[in-house]
Amino acid sequence: MSFSATEPTRGTKWFAGIAVVLYAIITLIPLLWIVATGFKSPADSISYPPVVVFEPSLEGYVNLFTARTRATEDMLEAAGPAVTWYDKITRNRGTIISGPSRYGERFMNSIIIGFGSTLLCMILGTAAAYAFSRFKVPLKDDLLFFILSTRMMPPIAVAIPIFLMFRNLGLNDTHLGMILLYTAVNLSLSVWLLKGFIDEIPIEYEEAALIDGYTRFQAFYKVVLPQAATGIASTAIFCLIFAWNEYAFAVLLTSGTAQTAPPFIPTIIGTSGKDWPAVAAGATIFLVPVMVFTILLRKHLLRGITFGAVRK
Amino acid sequence: MAEVTLTNVCKSFGDDVALDDVSMTVPDGSFVVLLGPTGAGKTTTLRMVSGLDTPDMGKITIGGRDMAGMTPAQRDVAMVFQQYSLYPHLTVRQNLEFPLKSPILRTPQPEIDRKVKEVAEVLQISHKLDNKSTALSGGEMQRVSIGRALVRQPSVYLMDEPLSSLDAKLRSDLRIELKGIQANSGATLLYVTHDQIEAMTMATHVGVLDNGKLVQFGSPRELYENPVSVYAASRLGQPRINMLPADIFGGAPAAATHIGLRPEQILQGNGEDSTVHRIEHLGDQTRLHLSFKSHDLITVTDAHTDLKVGDIVKIRPHEALYFGANGARVA
Ligand SMILES: Nc1ncnc2c1ncn2[C@@H]1O[C@H](COP(=O)(O)OP(=O)(O)OP(=O)(O)O)[C@@H](O)[C@H]1O
Ligand SMILES: [Mg+2]
């Protein structure tokens, strides 16, 4: 059997494999439970002992996306026979659909605010990190420390000043306000992470590009950015996850127009009894964008492109 | 194609003086080789000309224009880095195309293709054009990095030990190619090397740097035959010039403390006795390590010499160089 310094032995591989699978199962069970609950009937969702095998139903999803009113016999007759499959589901419960719920809007708000702040944070963060990494910035170390220090207390500690500031600036319950807020909170993390990644890119590449006839900005764009892709992708995922899941500020600063999904989902519980399948459906859909985003960026995370072309 | 001048150029990094009042003219169409041991300021000189660094004092012109405040792109120079920095996210072909696609040149694609093909052939890397630039050997990377300079026709080529990691055959091939390109196109080259043969065969002029100072500038022949100091004399010549006390053979000028003898300045056959203590057969020549009055010296002799360790060889100096106490040449 050959022996290598870098290849783990077969025993280690097995052990690592089993550990990873166990860990994955443990972390995935709650997630699977939520997804399953979304497809249960209200009765199944609260039955004890819990049911593992059940007849799937889309009632949770229908309830999530619709507003319904309890209907009398007369009203049901007046409305005529159910035409669509979702009408049928609600009629069975003695309700008729009175319109769409607010979930769609709230979900879109989450998308706009989450991705908007992530994008802004990447643009500002990369520019700042590049400057800190490459230029002589007066008081560089102090500035970097200051940027980091903004994360030393929980952001919510300054909730009241921010609330007052937003009210005076007319940013309360606006997309712009939330995007700016999440960008500000995420910026310290992204500047620090990205500076680390950009520091790793040898300056020789930019110098070569400058000689090759490019301006500094073009060199940054054509040479530094592609090599920083790995770092930018992972930083973007961190920023998105924070902005996407943020709850406290969203409760405090949004109520209607710009309300995101996290503060909205719990309100589903209250509207018509404990509708757990609808809550679970809302949570399931809420999980999808971050998952898709992470999977899309995965190839950047795994690609080590900066190794090996500079003679050290 | 342009003349490059440096006038009283100084550059320090903190307390470290990298260039100390360097003045030099690189004539249009010349091939200037910079020599000097590690840390002498060779790379720094190239970086001053390229615009990647700016001098603390002094002036640099290219083609008669003052370069103060000019970006590297505006200076129209091509540079082969000592650290051959290929863009790792691009293929070999894309690396070679990169300078041609710059906003300054905006070369049309057919022209790009032609140039890249031509340069790849000269550098013997045609078969690697579609490789990722990280999937190359050190020598291949170095050739691509030379190629990235050669695809252009800049005012000046700056090359920092461009052939250092190539094998002997490739090195001699490329020596001839580079010299040919320079001779045919009339390009101006400023070239750093530690290699004697490169300096002797390619240079029209050689500049010797010592601790940031330019101590001698002239043709390779002049530098070899007429060095201004021990230091300059030691830059060229294989085996190195032998330094012995000035009066060891007698007849030294009064100010001289050392006599410098290159192998061809040591005549064998008559004179004083020395003992062979080592013989190195190099193929085309044989190196003799001699003990002479308790000093060691190295010279060359026939490839097929019959001499053996312990034999006596009579030697005497011929047109020797004499140096004073501070290392400067006195005769
Ligand atoms: N960026 C820098 N910061 C600090 N010191 C530097 C820097 N660049 C060069 N130096 C110093 O300047 C001096 C000259 O360096 P340079 O790189 O020009 O040497 P060189 O002649 O090219 O040597 P080598 O043959 O090893 O490449 C050295 O003492 C070096 O330490
Ligand atoms: Mg150097």
Side-chain angles (χ1 to χ4, degrees):
Chain A
M1 204 173 112
S2 68
F3 192 84
S4 144
T6 49
E7 263 299 283
T9 62
R10 185 177 299 205
T12 323
K13 276 185 184 166
W14 267 100
F15 179 77
I18 290 168
V20 166
V21 168
L22 276 179
Y23 180 74
I25 290 173
I26 291 167
T27 48
L28 282 176
I29 282 176
L31 211 64
L32 291 175
W33 196 258
I34 287 182
V35 175
T37 305
F39 292 100
K40 285 178 183 173
S41 66
D44 279 345
S45 74
I46 51 168
S47 73
Y48 191 85
V51 284
V52 177
V53 183
F54 56 90
E55 194 181 327
S57 139
L58 282 172
E59 189 172 346
Y61 285 85
V62 172
N63 290 353
L64 176 67
F65 283 103
T66 59
R68 300 159 310 283
T69 47
R70 185 144 295 283
T72 57
E73 292 289 323
D74 304 346
M75 285 166 75
L76 281 176
E77 245 164 60
V83 241
T84 59
W85 60 270
Y86 44 88
D87 271 333
K88 280 187 194 128
I89 289 175
T90 58
R91 298 285 170 88
N92 283 341
R93 299 280 173 202
T95 57
I96 53 175
I97 294 172
S98 56
S101 79
R102 298 216 167 260
Y103 185 76
E105 285 166 37
R106 301 309 192 240
F107 186 81
M108 275 316 293
N109 286 342
S110 268
I111 298 263
I112 294 168
I113 291 167
F115 284 88
S117 74
T118 302
L119 180 69
L120 188 59
C121 201
M122 287 305 104
I123 294 171
L124 295 175
T126 313
Y130 181 75
F132 276 122
S133 172
R134 296 293 197 253
F135 298 129
K136 283 203 188 81
V137 180
L139 298 177
K140 181 188 280 189
D141 292 343
D142 304 276
L143 280 173
L144 278 169
F145 180 78
F146 168 72
I147 291 174
L148 188 64
S149 72
T150 61
R151 274 309 272 273
M152 287 182 183
M153 59 184 167
I156 202 69
V158 289
I160 296 180
I162 288 178
F163 178 76
L164 295 174
M165 196 164 76
F166 267 44
R167 204 179 51 190
N168 287 338
L169 293 173
L171 288 174
N172 255 335
D173 204 14
T174 60
H175 292 111
L176 178 65
M178 295 312 284
I179 289 177
L180 290 178
L181 179 68
Y182 290 160
T183 305
V185 173
N186 271 332
L187 211 46
S188 64
L189 176 78
S190 65
V191 168
W192 271 80
L193 281 180
L194 289 168
K195 177 175 180 294
F197 285 111
I198 293 177
D199 282 345
E200 292 290 301
I201 303 171
I203 196 159
E204 282 88 356
Y205 298 132
E206 283 148 87
E207 294 189 333
L210 291 180
I211 299 270
D212 282 344
Y214 293 79
T215 65
R216 186 167 270 280
F217 182 74
Q218 290 160 339
F220 167 75
Y221 182 77
K222 292 207 175 248
V223 175
V224 178
L225 270 195
Q227 291 181 68
T230 308
I232 293 174
S234 47
T235 310
I237 289 173
F238 280 119
C239 289
L240 180 70
I241 288 174
F242 170 82
W244 191 255
N245 294 341
E246 205 285 329
Y247 180 75
F249 277 112
V251 168
L252 187 72
L253 299 174
T254 66
S255 49
T257 337
Q259 192 182 46
T260 52
F264 179 77
I265 291 174
T267 67
I268 303 168
I269 303 175
T271 49
S272 52
K274 291 225 160 42
D275 195 351
W276 292 117
V279 173
T284 305
I285 294 178
F286 183 68
L287 290 174
V288 171
V290 173
M291 215 168 71
V292 171
F293 186 66
T294 310
I295 291 171
L296 284 181
L297 294 190
R298 190 190 43 175
K299 77 174 204 296
H300 290 289
L301 296 181
L302 298 178
R303 196 169 60 187
I305 53 167
T306 57
F307 304 115
V310 166
R311 179 176 55 180
K312 293 264 163 68
Chain B
M1 321 304 121
E3 181 188 81
V4 179
T5 68
L6 288 82
T7 318
N8 307 115
V9 171
C10 298
K11 178 74 180 180
S12 305
F13 297 98
D15 292 339
D16 213 342
V17 180
L19 288 182
D20 186 359
D21 200 20
V22 169
S23 296
M24 162 166 83
T25 300
V26 178
D28 189 5
S30 64
F31 195 127
V32 172
V33 167
L34 290 178
L35 292 178
T38 174
K42 306 179 297 295
T43 300
T44 308
T45 308
L46 297 196
R47 290 177 62 90
M48 294 293 137
V49 175
S50 70
L52 289 175
D53 272 325
T54 46
D56 298 336
M57 268 192 299
K59 186 171 142 180
I60 291 168
T61 67
I62 298 178
R65 288 192 308 153
D66 189 353
M67 286 295 124
M70 297 270 219
T71 65
Q74 290 167 332
R75 293 180 186 212
D76 187 28
V77 297
M79 183 154 166
V80 180
F81 288 80
Q82 194 169 5
Q83 260 80 24
Y84 33 82
S85 30
L86 303 186
Y87 307 115
H89 58 296
L90 302 180
T91 64
V92 170
R93 184 190 303 279
Q94 289 166 329
N95 263 279
L96 293 174
E97 289 175 344
F98 197 75
L100 295 173
K101 287 187 164 166
S102 79
I104 291 188
L105 292 182
R106 292 194 187 288
T107 320
Q109 192 64 42
E111 171 101 4
I112 293 182
D113 294 340
R114 191 180 59 73
K115 282 251 174 75
V116 167
K117 184 163 177 287
E118 191 181 302
V119 165
E121 267 161 28
V122 167
L123 297 169
Q124 306 172 27
I125 44 172
S126 308
H127 57 298
K128 299 277 179 176
L129 274 179
D130 295 306
N131 273 40
K132 259 254 158 1
S133 59
T134 44
L136 295 177
S137 78
E140 286 161 352
M141 286 189 194
Q142 199 165 35
R143 278 177 279 158
V144 177
S145 139
I146 299 172
R148 223 170 49 198
L150 292 185
V151 289
R152 288 169 56 196
Q153 248 125 36
S155 331
V156 201
Y157 290 99
L158 305 168
M159 300 196 181
D160 203 344
E161 301 182 35
L163 306 183
S164 61
S165 50
L166 304 182
D167 62 58
K169 161 145 191 340
L170 208 51
R171 198 184 283 214
S172 75
D173 286 357
L174 289 190
R175 225 164 41 217
I176 293 164
E177 289 288 353
L178 280 182
K179 184 65 190 166
I181 289 169
Q182 187 260 340
N184 295 336
S185 67
T188 310
L189 263 107
L190 192 51
Y191 188 103
V192 172
T193 182
H194 287 286
D195 186 302
Q196 307 272 348
I197 305 177
E198 281 174 38
M200 292 305 283
T201 57
M202 300 198 287
T204 57
H205 303 71
V206 177
V208 178
L209 281 167
D210 178 12
N211 243 319
K213 288 197 182 61
L214 185 70
V215 293
Q216 190 167 7
F217 188 86
S219 70
R221 196 185 167 101
E222 197 177 319
L223 197 84
Y224 186 84
E225 292 177 353
N226 229 342
V228 296
S229 63
V230 175
Y231 182 85
S234 316
R235 295 303 114 208
L236 288 180
Q238 263 316 344
R240 273 166 65 122
I241 189 166
N242 296 286
M243 301 304 299
L244 301 170
D247 52 7
I248 200 161
F249 290 100
T257 58
H258 286 86
I259 177 171
L261 292 170
R262 296 200 188 275
E264 67 275 16
Q265 293 166 330
I266 303 173
L267 296 185
Q268 297 164 26
N270 59 48
E272 306 189 40
D273 284 358
S274 69
T275 324
V276 178
H277 75 88
R278 192 155 152 217
I279 297 180
E280 292 176 313
H281 293 281
L282 298 185
D284 56 340
Q285 54 166 256
T286 298
R287 282 195 190 170
L288 284 183
H289 295 243
L290 303 173
S291 292
F292 177 66
K293 295 183 181 171
S294 80
H295 294 279
D296 288 342
L297 48 95
I298 305 173
T299 186
V300 296
T301 189
D302 281 359
H304 305 290
T305 179
D306 295 330
L307 287 170
K308 295 184 301 295
V309 173
D311 285 354
I312 302 291
V313 179
K314 284 187 187 302
I315 57 170
R316 68 183 162 88
H318 169 68
E319 293 179 353
L321 306 170
Y322 289 94
F323 301 93
N326 60 359
R329 176 93 176 278
V330 292

